[in-house]
Amino acid sequence: MNAASLARESPAVHVVEDAHWIDAVSESMLADFLTVIPQTPSLVIVTYRPEYEGALTRVHGAQTVALAPLSDTETAALVSQLLGSDPSVAALVQTITERASGTPFFAEEIDRVDPRT
C-alpha cells in the first residue's frame, strides 16, 4: 500500500472513520501508511471519539480538529429544519434536542424513528 501511494501522481483522499474501534494490527498498518503520506499528493482524514488515544492520534505533522457538541439552540435549529416550524412539533423539537445531547447524528436519527413502530 505504501509503494502504491508513493507511485501515485494524482491526488487522493483517504478516509478512516471510527478509529476508536480499530484493532491493533490495523492501527499499526495505518500508522505505517501515514508515514508516507507527506511524500504524496494525498490527504488522510481520520475520525475518532475523544476517548481514543491510540497511535493515530500521535502522527507527526497531523492537524487535529476537535468538534464540540452542538448547543441546545443549534440542535433545536437542526431538528426544526428536519421537522419543520409548525407549532404542533415544538414539544417534539424540545424532546429531541434534549435527548440528542448536542450530537447532530443522534438528532437526525431520532427524527427518523417512526413513532408507529
Side-chain angles (χ1 to χ4, degrees):
M1 196 160 91
N2 288 359
S5 293
L6 288 168
R8 174 184 286 280
E9 293 180 13
S10 60
V13 176
H14 307 277
V15 179
V16 179
E17 293 187 280
D18 298 326
H20 50 275
W21 290 332
I22 200 166
D23 62 89
V25 173
S26 299
E27 181 180 56
S28 176
M29 188 253 337
L30 280 169
D32 184 54
F33 171 65
L34 293 175
T35 64
V36 302
I37 290 301
Q39 303 165 53
T40 70
S42 300
L43 169 71
V44 178
I45 299 171
V46 180
T47 67
Y48 53 85
R49 292 184 182 164
E51 61 270 12
Y52 173 71
E53 296 177 352
L56 302 180
T57 66
R58 298 182 297 278
V59 174
H60 178 70
Q63 293 182 353
T64 301
V65 178
L67 301 178
L70 297 178
S71 69
D72 285 349
T73 302
E74 293 165 330
T75 303
L78 171 64
V79 175
S80 292
Q81 276 190 320
L82 297 170
L83 295 178
S85 59
D86 191 282
S88 66
V89 297
L92 185 56
V93 168
Q94 181 62 33
T95 299
I96 292 173
T97 298
E98 291 169 2
R99 292 192 180 163
S101 301
T103 305
F105 175 75
F106 294 164
E108 291 176 342
E109 290 300 303
I110 293 168
D111 173 61
R112 290 188 181 135
V113 173
D114 186 343
R116 298 169 290 180
T117 60

